[in-house]
Amino acid sequence: MEFQEDVNLDDFKDYLIAYLRNAHQEDIVMDNEVVVVDLNNLYYYGLMEFVDYLIHNPQKGIDFIKECYESAYFTLKNEYPKNFIISVKNLPKIFKTNKNGKLFTVEDIKSNTLGKIVEFEGIIVMASKIRPILKKAYYFCPKCGKSMIKEVDFLKIEEEKEYCECKSELNLIEEKSTYTDFQEIKVQQPLDLMDNPEEPPKYITVFLENSPGIYAGRVKITGIPVKIKKSKKLPIYEIYVKALHCEVLDGEVKVKITREDVKNIEKIAKRKDVVDILADRLIPEIKGHSAIKKAVFLQQIKGVKKPGKRADIHILLITDPGIGKTVILRKIAEIPGNLYGSVTTATGVGLTAAVVREKTEIGEDTWVIKPGLLVKAHKGTACIDELTVNKDLQSYVLEAMESQTIHISKGGINAKLPAECAILAACNPRWGRFNPEVSVAEQINIPAPLLSRFDLIFPIRDESDRDKDKDIAEYIIDLHRAYLDEKINKKMGLDYLEIDGVKIDKEFIIKYIHYARQKKPIISEKAKELFVKYYVEMRKRHQITARQLEASIRIAEAHAKAKLKDVVDEEDAKEAINIITECLKEIAYDPETGTFDVDKILGVSKKERDKLTTVYEIIKELSEKSELVEHEDIVEEAKNKGIKENEVENIIKKLIKYGDIDEPKPGRYRLL
């Protein structure tokens, strides 16, 4: 649209007053201090030329809206408003796109946009604490007694002295001056809005006046790019954005889905094996492990969000070395909105949020918040590698899994940052290989409270099997060949697979996941009966907890969404129960009793607890005869009760570890 410079604003006055009186009646009645004008609504009200003028002349345009708002206010209240601020948001679509017809982004903010209104999305990577800034300066002349009020432009960093008509220097009277809440944020261009996500992300600093305090998340900013000279020698400037409006978005990444995409998605969704196909295609680089792939695929779709109940599914992978856990995590991190981080290189605040003193563009050092991985992955999945490497970092992850928020209180900043994300974590067993005979808690350095928050825990074992090993070896070699040979690539379907005339590639799966997330299926009566029956039977035989039931509900909802259903039916409930059962088989099965022992996951199984109690009682009885109990006597008594000597050794070590007994002399024990 070509900009018309010669515009007579009076031509729009009556229309604009009428619009403001109707559209902003509530603002007038409630005497709201901040009045936000929707430019898209204004455009389609018929004021296209004025919106065009406003975008190219922001200050004059906003002053004119202010003048018209005062008139609209007067027609309703018969008086003029005292203190109010005009803000604008939501540019019409024609002004939201760049010259290539794509959505305007941070990288489009260049010299040709200076002084015009732009709108773009960004993810906050740094936010300062709120500071008061001078907005209207009240000056007083000590010589002639005159006073004057002047609007202050905070971007003019050099302090300018003000003079009276009598040529005397004016004094600033701070008590009579007006201040506003000021905040500085630095935003990064979202990866999903970058032409090439592999390129380094683009950043820009944004100045917010009248800020309520925004510290994290995805934001939509309507503002004016301005230049500030940074070099004293050369006429070189830095570009910043003076925000007129800043809206915090829900964090959900918006993926563009066309009608053709919807048609293909609904076509593929009709297949019975749709979940298996998409789960396998999500991580084609890994051979097999279908149950894990399916669980991770359903994790991306999520359950149904309800008040007080999380929709996110948390998964932990305990893998033998060389299985390819990092490949799985990095592949999932490629989905827009997801992030990858390794505990080997991360810090606690790198996972949550850091509060540090830092020099900002305006002013001296101040406290700023730098959101970490879990906050940036809000509404997505945080892929955390090597979870057990640093035990100190695990408490940070627990808070996010527990409350889905991160609390910050430091340097005058008290904020609650949203961290509503699914956790896909991976680690290696403590002794190199996973041992199904030993509890999960003993094999990985993860405390029980954190371990219990995972809905699914999958050990991925490196077991020798001739046929399986042959298949894997051939697959890995073909994988290397496929990158150089088009025929092999097509045969393996690494880039895409064509099913029912639909091209199933990474882009299609991402669109499918985001389309399926919109569904909100309700649990049917038959599915409810199945869940109740499963829970009652499993409680009676295997002592499962309500956590397993909650997890199965989330998985069933995700499965129903994956099939684009409006109801969670028996098929979805059975699939969820199968996934939970498959998981329990791997980590909680007791071959001696033929049952699942959930306590075995978190540390001490029921069978082991009984043996611990037996040995403790033996030591207690023997200590009545002598304060120090001999090792041989304990072994002898335990043997009579069916406990082997090597088991007694382990039990004694655990009783010492738990603080029930100690060993003041070698081979002699006493109760504590």
Side-chain angles (χ1 to χ4, degrees):
M1 188 172 183
E2 197 172 319
F3 171 58
Q4 300 294 319
E5 188 69 58
D6 53 335
V7 170
N8 183 4
L9 291 178
D10 287 337
D11 293 345
F12 311 118
K13 195 162 192 175
D14 292 339
Y15 291 102
L16 190 52
I17 291 170
Y19 171 82
L20 293 169
R21 190 172 54 235
N22 295 325
H24 292 272
Q25 191 171 348
E26 190 179 332
D27 286 322
I28 295 169
V29 172
M30 300 300 291
D31 248 333
N32 289 336
E33 190 181 337
V34 180
V35 179
V36 183
V37 177
D38 189 309
L39 295 182
N40 191 54
N41 291 347
L42 201 59
Y43 188 83
Y44 287 104
Y45 182 74
L47 290 161
M48 292 92 156
E49 282 183 62
F50 172 69
V51 171
D52 189 29
Y53 176 85
L54 171 71
I55 286 165
H56 291 83
N57 297 276
Q59 200 53 60
K60 288 180 182 175
I62 288 170
D63 287 344
F64 184 67
I65 294 175
K66 195 173 182 179
E67 185 187 317
C68 292
Y69 182 79
E70 286 175 338
S71 300
Y73 190 101
F74 186 84
T75 59
L76 284 175
K77 286 195 164 183
N78 209 30
E79 60 178 342
Y80 290 105
K82 292 180 176 67
N83 288 312
F84 70 97
I85 296 155
I86 292 291
S87 176
V88 295
K89 68 168 187 178
N90 199 16
L91 293 187
K93 192 176 178 181
I94 192 171
F95 298 108
K96 279 186 187 178
T97 52
N98 59 24
K99 60 183 180 182
N100 298 321
K102 291 185 177 179
L103 202 65
F104 192 91
T105 63
V106 170
E107 60 189 337
D108 294 312
I109 299 173
K110 295 173 183 171
S111 58
N112 63 328
T113 63
L114 288 170
K116 300 171 188 174
I117 296 179
V118 297
E119 192 171 276
F120 59 94
E121 288 185 19
I123 293 165
I124 295 176
V125 293
M126 185 279 284
S128 74
K129 65 182 283 186
I130 291 177
R131 294 169 285 171
I133 196 166
L134 189 63
K135 187 64 181 168
K136 286 182 182 177
Y138 183 95
Y139 291 106
F140 177 77
C141 179
K143 192 173 181 181
C144 67
K146 280 188 179 179
S147 61
M148 131 177 147
I149 295 172
K150 187 185 177 186
E151 289 267 354
V152 178
D153 185 355
F154 67 86
L155 292 176
K156 289 182 180 174
I157 298 165
E158 302 85 11
E159 287 187 21
E160 294 178 5
K161 291 178 181 178
E162 294 291 337
Y163 293 92
C164 182
E165 289 172 3
C166 68
K167 297 188 179 176
S168 295
E169 190 181 326
L170 292 169
N171 292 341
L172 174 67
I173 310 299
E174 293 194 6
E175 307 84 65
K176 291 191 176 183
S177 296
T178 307
Y179 297 83
T180 187
D181 291 325
F182 172 83
Q183 190 182 19
E184 186 179 322
I185 64 172
K186 191 174 185 180
V187 299
Q188 172 190 313
Q189 182 171 332
L191 294 179
D192 55 288
L193 295 180
M194 288 180 69
D195 290 334
N196 182 7
E198 298 299 317
E199 282 184 15
K202 310 293 188 297
Y203 300 90
I204 198 155
T205 299
V206 179
F207 304 127
L208 306 176
E209 289 185 68
N210 309 296
S211 175
I214 300 167
Y215 297 103
R218 190 170 175 131
V219 289
K220 182 161 75 172
I221 291 158
T222 308
I224 307 164
V226 293
K227 65 182 192 298
I228 296 178
K229 194 173 181 181
K230 284 291 181 179
S231 171
K232 290 181 179 178
K233 296 178 180 177
L234 299 168
I236 296 173
Y237 302 83
E238 289 285 346
I239 296 179
Y240 302 92
V241 172
K242 186 179 178 181
L244 298 170
H245 187 263
C246 181
E247 179 188 352
V248 179
L249 304 173
D250 64 1
E252 182 78 49
V253 174
K254 302 290 186 286
V255 174
K256 192 177 179 183
I257 299 172
T258 64
R259 286 184 183 178
E260 186 65 27
D261 292 329
V262 173
K263 188 181 165 186
N264 288 333
I265 287 167
E266 290 178 345
K267 185 179 181 181
I268 289 294
K270 288 174 184 173
R271 291 183 62 102
K272 279 193 172 184
D273 58 352
V274 61
V275 175
D276 297 299
I277 289 170
L278 297 179
D280 187 58
R281 301 312 307 158
L282 186 61
I283 316 164
E285 292 86 350
I286 300 289
K287 176 84 171 167
H289 305 299
S290 56
I292 293 161
K293 284 183 177 180
K294 189 183 288 188
V296 171
F297 173 71
L298 294 177
Q299 180 193 42
Q300 301 315 301
I301 290 176
K302 303 174 186 287
V304 178
K305 177 73 177 162
K306 306 166 206 87
K309 298 285 182 187
R310 64 176 162 92
D312 295 301
I313 299 163
H314 300 316
I315 299 174
L316 175 65
L317 307 177
I318 307 168
T319 72
D320 290 346
I323 292 291
K325 62 179 171 61
T326 305
V327 174
I328 296 171
L329 266 60
R330 285 196 180 276
K331 196 72 183 174
I332 298 305
E334 288 177 7
I335 296 171
N338 295 357
L339 287 172
Y340 170 87
S342 176
V343 171
T344 51
T345 54
T347 59
V349 292
L351 284 177
T352 54
V355 180
V356 294
R357 283 196 77 87
E358 195 169 281
K359 193 176 188 313
T360 54
E361 299 299 337
I362 300 292
E364 296 304 312
D365 287 5
T366 186
W367 290 102
V368 300
I369 281 185
K370 292 185 173 182
L373 176 75
L374 296 168
V375 177
K376 286 181 184 176
H378 177 60
K379 296 284 184 179
T381 300
C383 304
I384 305 173
D385 209 351
E386 307 292 356
L387 183 62
T388 53
V389 167
N390 189 338
K391 204 169 184 180
D392 296 336
L393 268 60
Q394 292 165 8
S395 59
Y396 296 101
V397 181
L398 178 60
E399 185 189 356
M401 291 176 80
E402 232 172 18
S403 63
Q404 299 211 293
T405 55
I406 299 293
H407 287 83
I408 293 291
S409 185
K410 186 180 175 182
I413 297 174
N414 194 350
K416 189 166 80 170
L417 309 180
E420 198 179 295
C421 61
I423 305 285
L424 176 60
C427 63
N428 293 126
R430 190 185 290 171
W431 303 300
R433 303 269 170 172
F434 185 81
N435 183 356
E437 301 298 316
V438 182
S439 72
V440 172
E442 286 181 84
Q443 297 190 67
I444 55 175
N445 290 315
I446 295 178
L450 176 59
L451 202 55
S452 68
R453 292 296 182 282
F454 285 101
D455 298 288
L456 297 168
I457 301 171
F458 286 109
I460 310 179
R461 283 182 268 168
D462 184 15
E463 295 176 308
S464 180
D465 180 302
R466 190 176 175 83
D467 293 335
K468 193 176 168 187
D469 291 344
K470 183 174 178 285
D471 288 345
I472 289 171
E474 286 179 353
Y475 190 83
I476 290 170
I477 294 163
D478 284 344
L479 204 61
H480 282 269
R481 294 167 70 205
Y483 290 112
L484 303 170
D485 193 317
E486 192 69 35
K487 286 181 183 176
I488 298 170
N489 192 314
K490 201 168 182 180
K491 187 182 174 184
M492 292 180 77
L494 279 182
D495 292 336
Y496 71 93
L497 205 64
E498 198 165 304
I499 296 172
D500 297 341
V502 178
K503 188 179 177 183
I504 311 289
D505 57 4
K506 184 175 120 181
E507 190 183 344
F508 176 81
I509 295 171
I510 288 168
K511 287 178 178 179
Y512 193 102
I513 287 167
H514 282 270
Y515 186 77
R517 277 183 190 173
Q518 299 167 28
K519 292 283 181 183
K520 290 185 179 178
I522 299 165
I523 297 170
S524 67
E525 278 298 322
K526 286 191 175 180
K528 177 189 165 184
E529 286 170 21
L530 207 60
F531 279 130
V532 171
K533 186 183 175 185
Y534 164 75
Y535 182 66
V536 171
E537 283 182 7
M538 292 292 276
R539 280 288 292 169
K540 188 179 177 182
R541 287 189 62 216
H542 307 292
Q543 292 294 305
I544 70 159
T545 67
R547 283 190 194 277
Q548 278 78 41
L549 178 62
E550 292 266 10
S552 62
I553 290 168
R554 281 190 283 272
I555 294 163
E557 288 172 341
H559 192 270
K561 288 166 81 173
K563 292 208 156 192
L564 308 185
K565 297 177 187 173
D566 295 317
V567 172
V568 178
D569 58 25
E570 286 175 284
E571 179 202 10
D572 307 309
K574 282 176 184 172
E575 191 61 53
I577 288 166
N578 288 342
I579 290 172
I580 291 283
T581 308
E582 191 70 31
C583 178
L584 292 173
K585 269 184 194 173
E586 294 288 333
I587 57 172
Y589 184 67
D590 185 344
E592 283 186 30
T593 60
T595 60
F596 298 135
D597 189 348
V598 177
D599 290 339
K600 187 180 172 187
I601 302 168
L602 302 179
V604 184
S605 65
K606 185 180 181 299
K607 181 178 72 177
E608 196 177 350
R609 198 163 55 243
D610 292 341
K611 288 180 181 178
L612 276 167
T613 307
T614 303
V615 173
Y616 180 79
E617 289 299 325
I618 288 169
I619 297 169
K620 190 177 178 184
E621 280 178 36
L622 292 171
S623 66
E624 289 174 7
K625 298 172 188 173
S626 171
E627 187 188 349
L628 294 179
V629 179
E630 296 283 343
H631 183 270
E632 291 79 9
D633 295 339
I634 300 168
V635 172
E636 191 63 37
E637 287 294 325
K639 199 183 283 182
N640 296 335
K641 294 183 185 287
I643 303 172
K644 296 172 186 174
E645 187 174 345
N646 63 335
E647 287 183 299
V648 174
E649 297 285 350
N650 289 330
I651 290 167
I652 287 172
K653 283 177 186 174
K654 283 183 181 176
L655 288 172
I656 293 170
K657 181 185 167 186
Y658 298 147
D660 295 308
I661 64 170
D662 73 343
E663 189 179 9
K665 291 183 180 179
R668 294 183 173 192
Y669 309 96
R670 68 180 174 191
L671 294 177
L672 291 175

